Amino acid sequence: MTAIEDNHSHPSFFQKTKQRLWKWTKRLFVGLLGLPVLFLVLNLLFPLPDKIEYSTIITDNKGEVIHAFLTKDEKWRMKTELDEISPLLKKTIVEKEDRYFYYHPGVNLVAVIRALGKNIFRMKRTSGASTITMQVAKLLEPSKRTYGAKLVEMFRAFQLEWKYSKDEILQLYLNLVPYGGNIEGVKSASVLYFKKSPDHLSLAEITALSIIPNRPSSLVMGRNNDSIVKERNRWLQYFAHEKVFTQKEITDALNEPPTASRTEVPKLMPQFSYKMKKQGGDIIKSNIDLNTQLKTEKLVEDYIKALYSQNIRNASVMIVDNRTHKVISYVGSADFKDTVDYGQVNGVKAVREPGSTLKPLLYGLCVDAGLLTPKTIITDVAVNYNGYAPENYDKKFNGNVTMEYALEHSLNIPAVKALQQLGTEKMIETLTECNFKSIQKKKKGLGLSLILGGCGTSLEELTSLFAAFANDGVYYKPVFMQGDTVYNKTRILSSAADFMITDILSHVNRPDFPVSWQSTSHLPKIAWKTGTSYGRRDAWSIGYNKNYTVGVWVGNFSGQGIPELSGASIATPLLFKIFNTIDYNSDAEWFTQPKTCETRMVCSETGMVPGEFCTGTVTDYFIPLISSSIVCNNTQEVMVSPDEKISYCRYCAPEVGYKKKLYKIIAPDLQNYFKENGIAFEMIPLHNPNCEKIFKEGAPVITSPTNGTEYYISTKDPEPIALTCETAIDVNKVYWYINNKFYKAADAKSKQFFIPDEGPVKISCTDDKGRNRDIRINVKKVDL
């Protein structure tokens, strides 16, 4: 074999080196291509443990923390939002911890190599080269300081960079960094050490906080302030040397005294805060105006202390901004720490009897239904609805009263009559639309007593309802949290009806005006309604003007009734005090009459459109095409005998020998009231006994009870006896009498009930044409 052949059969050294280099290059290239794939696989196999439990914090409308709750692991770990990381905070932390934070992919390779060299050269670990991202990784997954742990940190750092932006990673760091004890995160430290939010921290405060995580046990705010200041100033000098901040900023920071010490976490508004915590979330931004809240709390506390001698121990208040529908104040009790008087109860949310507070809504609904106007006359006399006989607060009757008077004086009987006319279904439906939860749940069992407090409501529900009166009759669900702009609104009253009710409730000369209110005290311009529950357990007063609606409840959470407790005398003075505090000059703007509400002259005796014989008229509000336009027939011309002892109808009137005279038409129930109270009135004379039309035809036939029958009823549990009759087609109303005493007026076709006394009972039924029928029964009581 020749030399030339030998050179061709064996590769040269250069060729071998080239082949090896190409081989390693391909391996490196494949390896580099495989790293992302490997990272993605590992990322799926070992997901980032970034589920962080934060302390729930409640903030006011300015972002200040008003209440905070520990995490399950007993940490104060309040979440710092991105907008709370001020440029100053960001600049200081990045400069101190990781000046290349915004330039590396989570791991600073230059720093790692430098740290590795130092560790090898000094034969011990002196530098860790941790970036902010790597520190977050370690805070998320704490472990011992080993090289293996450091590799895991690097992997987790890449995961963090893959998932989050740089600002979000910085946010995680500021949320997790320890500040000694059970304090984690810059927000917790800011609140606990400086009583402020992170975005309000000064350069000196930020620098002081930034050094604590390195030595959390030996640098404790309030205990080691001298050491903290020394270390703080060292870093401030470093910042000056690196020209991070101006010399003036550094000088101001160096001169700032170390006044920080650990304080208590804000625990304001506990009942409200527990309620809001149930909404879920790390930061619950409420609409509470802290200044208004603190003033209201002080008023409530002082007011209840003055009532201690009367055994009245608690009060609750809720305030709504009528223009924004935001709840700006919420006082659950007079003193949350009072365990004796159940101060932990949330009185704003507690379900209580509402007394008369629902009457404005009822009358407003009646106005919209065309049943009433402010001057419509309602008879305030004894009534009985299937055994239910309501009474007024003072146990007295007032005869003819206007709807306006009935609402001003909070009369019970006219309200029950109005509800009977309107129908309980309409009232319950409206309250359900206004989120009255207890009424919604128990609506099947509610009846006419609903309007007198025979139901359950809360101060929160009632205050929200009255805010609808301040908003043109439109109900808005109260807004507790910022950002809740999806308003749940429902029109419950027309603008006209709403104005009429507001006009009545704004009158000052009324019986529920507090006697204790000094004439020299400023009287706020508001519309308000009071209420007192059965047994005097609850005193309510709820008022509003253009700006605010304020709901006040006063009483005892134990349910103890107090003889002196009433909405007028106890709750209203506190209502006035609150309005004078939050809106002293409220007279500037008031509600105006809408175009849909017009005025007209009506009969002063009925509130109806004046008829031919009406002599007195008054001005009244009404809604065109809705309010009743029936002409008043309160006075009628009647044909009578010359001695005025016999009346005639057109069928029996003689051709001569009679005269015509005007008579007031007075219903039998009102006649009975007049007789019992010695009020003189002129009755229409008895009808001509020889009239065949009236007395021979069409008298009511009593179908129950049966004439001449003997009835046995139980002594212990007597069952009522039904009253029914059959009448002529032209009859609308009948009047029942028991033993010649008026009992009840009713619709001709309706069934009534009564519990008779023992012995003979005479039952009479008279129709609205004057025709009468009598029967007699005998009642015996037995022990069954």
Side-chain angles (χ1 to χ4, degrees), residues 388-401:
Y388 175 56
E391 293 181 328
N392 288 324
Y393 187 74
D394 58 4
K395 311 274 187 197
K396 297 178 182 178
F397 305 110
N398 296 274
N400 281 336
V401 297

PDB file of all heavy atoms in Angstrom, residues 388-401:
ATOM      1  N   TYR A 388    -111.304  39.225  63.429  1.00  0.00           N
ATOM      2  CA  TYR A 388    -110.164  40.115  63.663  1.00  0.00           C
ATOM      3  C   TYR A 388    -110.689  41.536  63.848  1.00  0.00           C
ATOM      4  O   TYR A 388    -111.232  42.136  62.912  1.00  0.00           O
ATOM      5  CB  TYR A 388    -109.186  40.056  62.489  1.00  0.00           C
ATOM      6  CG  TYR A 388    -108.042  41.042  62.601  1.00  0.00           C
ATOM      7  CD1 TYR A 388    -107.210  41.052  63.720  1.00  0.00           C
ATOM      8  CD2 TYR A 388    -107.796  41.964  61.586  1.00  0.00           C
ATOM      9  CE1 TYR A 388    -106.166  41.956  63.828  1.00  0.00           C
ATOM     10  CE2 TYR A 388    -106.747  42.868  61.671  1.00  0.00           C
ATOM     11  CZ  TYR A 388    -105.941  42.863  62.805  1.00  0.00           C
ATOM     12  OH  TYR A 388    -104.912  43.759  62.901  1.00  0.00           O
ATOM     13  N   ALA A 389    -110.545  42.076  65.038  1.00  0.00           N
ATOM     14  CA  ALA A 389    -111.048  43.409  65.367  1.00  0.00           C
ATOM     15  C   ALA A 389    -109.888  44.306  65.775  1.00  0.00           C
ATOM     16  O   ALA A 389    -109.501  44.348  66.944  1.00  0.00           O
ATOM     17  CB  ALA A 389    -112.075  43.328  66.494  1.00  0.00           C
ATOM     18  N   PRO A 390    -109.290  45.013  64.839  1.00  0.00           N
ATOM     19  CA  PRO A 390    -108.131  45.864  65.163  1.00  0.00           C
ATOM     20  C   PRO A 390    -108.530  47.037  66.051  1.00  0.00           C
ATOM     21  O   PRO A 390    -109.681  47.484  66.042  1.00  0.00           O
ATOM     22  CB  PRO A 390    -107.658  46.343  63.795  1.00  0.00           C
ATOM     23  CG  PRO A 390    -108.877  46.285  62.925  1.00  0.00           C
ATOM     24  CD  PRO A 390    -109.665  45.102  63.414  1.00  0.00           C
ATOM     25  N   GLU A 391    -107.555  47.537  66.791  1.00  0.00           N
ATOM     26  CA  GLU A 391    -107.757  48.695  67.651  1.00  0.00           C
ATOM     27  C   GLU A 391    -106.690  49.726  67.366  1.00  0.00           C
ATOM     28  O   GLU A 391    -105.586  49.394  66.926  1.00  0.00           O
ATOM     29  CB  GLU A 391    -107.679  48.300  69.132  1.00  0.00           C
ATOM     30  CG  GLU A 391    -108.793  47.399  69.596  1.00  0.00           C
ATOM     31  CD  GLU A 391    -108.664  47.063  71.071  1.00  0.00           C
ATOM     32  OE1 GLU A 391    -107.506  46.990  71.563  1.00  0.00           O
ATOM     33  OE2 GLU A 391    -109.696  46.888  71.742  1.00  0.00           O
ATOM     34  N   ASN A 392    -107.018  50.978  67.635  1.00  0.00           N
ATOM     35  CA  ASN A 392    -106.017  52.026  67.521  1.00  0.00           C
ATOM     36  C   ASN A 392    -105.080  51.989  68.721  1.00  0.00           C
ATOM     37  O   ASN A 392    -105.371  51.368  69.747  1.00  0.00           O
ATOM     38  CB  ASN A 392    -106.680  53.403  67.417  1.00  0.00           C
ATOM     39  CG  ASN A 392    -107.344  53.623  66.067  1.00  0.00           C
ATOM     40  OD1 ASN A 392    -106.834  53.172  65.035  1.00  0.00           O
ATOM     41  ND2 ASN A 392    -108.482  54.296  66.057  1.00  0.00           N
ATOM     42  N   TYR A 393    -103.959  52.677  68.564  1.00  0.00           N
ATOM     43  CA  TYR A 393    -102.929  52.696  69.601  1.00  0.00           C
ATOM     44  C   TYR A 393    -103.479  53.165  70.944  1.00  0.00           C
ATOM     45  O   TYR A 393    -103.143  52.629  71.995  1.00  0.00           O
ATOM     46  CB  TYR A 393    -101.791  53.609  69.136  1.00  0.00           C
ATOM     47  CG  TYR A 393    -100.560  53.625  69.991  1.00  0.00           C
ATOM     48  CD1 TYR A 393     -99.677  52.540  69.976  1.00  0.00           C
ATOM     49  CD2 TYR A 393    -100.262  54.721  70.786  1.00  0.00           C
ATOM     50  CE1 TYR A 393     -98.528  52.554  70.745  1.00  0.00           C
ATOM     51  CE2 TYR A 393     -99.105  54.739  71.560  1.00  0.00           C
ATOM     52  CZ  TYR A 393     -98.248  53.656  71.534  1.00  0.00           C
ATOM     53  OH  TYR A 393     -97.110  53.664  72.312  1.00  0.00           O
ATOM     54  N   ASP A 394    -104.380  54.176  70.908  1.00  0.00           N
ATOM     55  CA  ASP A 394    -104.938  54.727  72.145  1.00  0.00           C
ATOM     56  C   ASP A 394    -106.272  54.099  72.519  1.00  0.00           C
ATOM     57  O   ASP A 394    -106.965  54.587  73.418  1.00  0.00           O
ATOM     58  CB  ASP A 394    -105.091  56.243  72.022  1.00  0.00           C
ATOM     59  CG  ASP A 394    -105.990  56.648  70.850  1.00  0.00           C
ATOM     60  OD1 ASP A 394    -106.543  55.748  70.179  1.00  0.00           O
ATOM     61  OD2 ASP A 394    -106.151  57.860  70.611  1.00  0.00           O
ATOM     62  N   LYS A 395    -106.677  53.023  71.792  1.00  0.00           N
ATOM     63  CA  LYS A 395    -107.924  52.301  72.066  1.00  0.00           C
ATOM     64  C   LYS A 395    -109.161  53.156  71.802  1.00  0.00           C
ATOM     65  O   LYS A 395    -110.248  52.842  72.278  1.00  0.00           O
ATOM     66  CB  LYS A 395    -107.970  51.816  73.519  1.00  0.00           C
ATOM     67  CG  LYS A 395    -106.712  51.096  73.972  1.00  0.00           C
ATOM     68  CD  LYS A 395    -106.756  49.652  73.627  1.00  0.00           C
ATOM     69  CE  LYS A 395    -105.565  48.907  74.240  1.00  0.00           C
ATOM     70  NZ  LYS A 395    -105.352  47.614  73.628  1.00  0.00           N
ATOM     71  N   LYS A 396    -109.037  54.262  71.069  1.00  0.00           N
ATOM     72  CA  LYS A 396    -110.153  55.140  70.798  1.00  0.00           C
ATOM     73  C   LYS A 396    -110.480  55.140  69.311  1.00  0.00           C
ATOM     74  O   LYS A 396    -109.699  54.687  68.481  1.00  0.00           O
ATOM     75  CB  LYS A 396    -109.832  56.569  71.257  1.00  0.00           C
ATOM     76  CG  LYS A 396    -109.598  56.699  72.760  1.00  0.00           C
ATOM     77  CD  LYS A 396    -109.245  58.135  73.122  1.00  0.00           C
ATOM     78  CE  LYS A 396    -108.971  58.276  74.619  1.00  0.00           C
ATOM     79  NZ  LYS A 396    -108.585  59.673  74.978  1.00  0.00           N
ATOM     80  N   PHE A 397    -111.679  55.681  68.985  1.00  0.00           N
ATOM     81  CA  PHE A 397    -112.098  55.836  67.594  1.00  0.00           C
ATOM     82  C   PHE A 397    -112.198  57.320  67.268  1.00  0.00           C
ATOM     83  O   PHE A 397    -112.405  58.154  68.149  1.00  0.00           O
ATOM     84  CB  PHE A 397    -113.444  55.159  67.351  1.00  0.00           C
ATOM     85  CG  PHE A 397    -113.466  53.704  67.736  1.00  0.00           C
ATOM     86  CD1 PHE A 397    -114.190  53.270  68.845  1.00  0.00           C
ATOM     87  CD2 PHE A 397    -112.760  52.774  67.004  1.00  0.00           C
ATOM     88  CE1 PHE A 397    -114.207  51.942  69.206  1.00  0.00           C
ATOM     89  CE2 PHE A 397    -112.768  51.432  67.352  1.00  0.00           C
ATOM     90  CZ  PHE A 397    -113.488  51.015  68.462  1.00  0.00           C
ATOM     91  N   ASN A 398    -112.081  57.661  65.996  1.00  0.00           N
ATOM     92  CA  ASN A 398    -112.072  59.063  65.585  1.00  0.00           C
ATOM     93  C   ASN A 398    -113.156  59.419  64.584  1.00  0.00           C
ATOM     94  O   ASN A 398    -113.211  60.552  64.119  1.00  0.00           O
ATOM     95  CB  ASN A 398    -110.707  59.403  64.983  1.00  0.00           C
ATOM     96  CG  ASN A 398    -109.583  59.281  65.987  1.00  0.00           C
ATOM     97  OD1 ASN A 398    -109.292  60.215  66.732  1.00  0.00           O
ATOM     98  ND2 ASN A 398    -108.940  58.120  66.043  1.00  0.00           N
ATOM     99  N   GLY A 399    -114.009  58.458  64.241  1.00  0.00           N
ATOM    100  CA  GLY A 399    -115.069  58.757  63.279  1.00  0.00           C
ATOM    101  C   GLY A 399    -114.513  58.969  61.888  1.00  0.00           C
ATOM    102  O   GLY A 399    -113.629  58.239  61.422  1.00  0.00           O
ATOM    103  N   ASN A 400    -115.018  59.994  61.196  1.00  0.00           N
ATOM    104  CA  ASN A 400    -114.541  60.297  59.840  1.00  0.00           C
ATOM    105  C   ASN A 400    -113.163  60.949  59.885  1.00  0.00           C
ATOM    106  O   ASN A 400    -112.982  61.970  60.559  1.00  0.00           O
ATOM    107  CB  ASN A 400    -115.516  61.237  59.128  1.00  0.00           C
ATOM    108  CG  ASN A 400    -116.725  60.503  58.592  1.00  0.00           C
ATOM    109  OD1 ASN A 400    -116.655  59.304  58.349  1.00  0.00           O
ATOM    110  ND2 ASN A 400    -117.825  61.214  58.404  1.00  0.00           N
ATOM    111  N   VAL A 401    -112.193  60.376  59.185  1.00  0.00           N
ATOM    112  CA  VAL A 401    -110.859  60.967  59.089  1.00  0.00           C
ATOM    113  C   VAL A 401    -110.395  60.888  57.645  1.00  0.00           C
ATOM    114  O   VAL A 401    -110.830  60.021  56.882  1.00  0.00           O
ATOM    115  CB  VAL A 401    -109.835  60.230  59.994  1.00  0.00           C
ATOM    116  CG1 VAL A 401    -110.212  60.345  61.453  1.00  0.00           C
ATOM    117  CG2 VAL A 401    -109.698  58.765  59.585  1.00  0.00           C
TER     118      VAL A 401
END
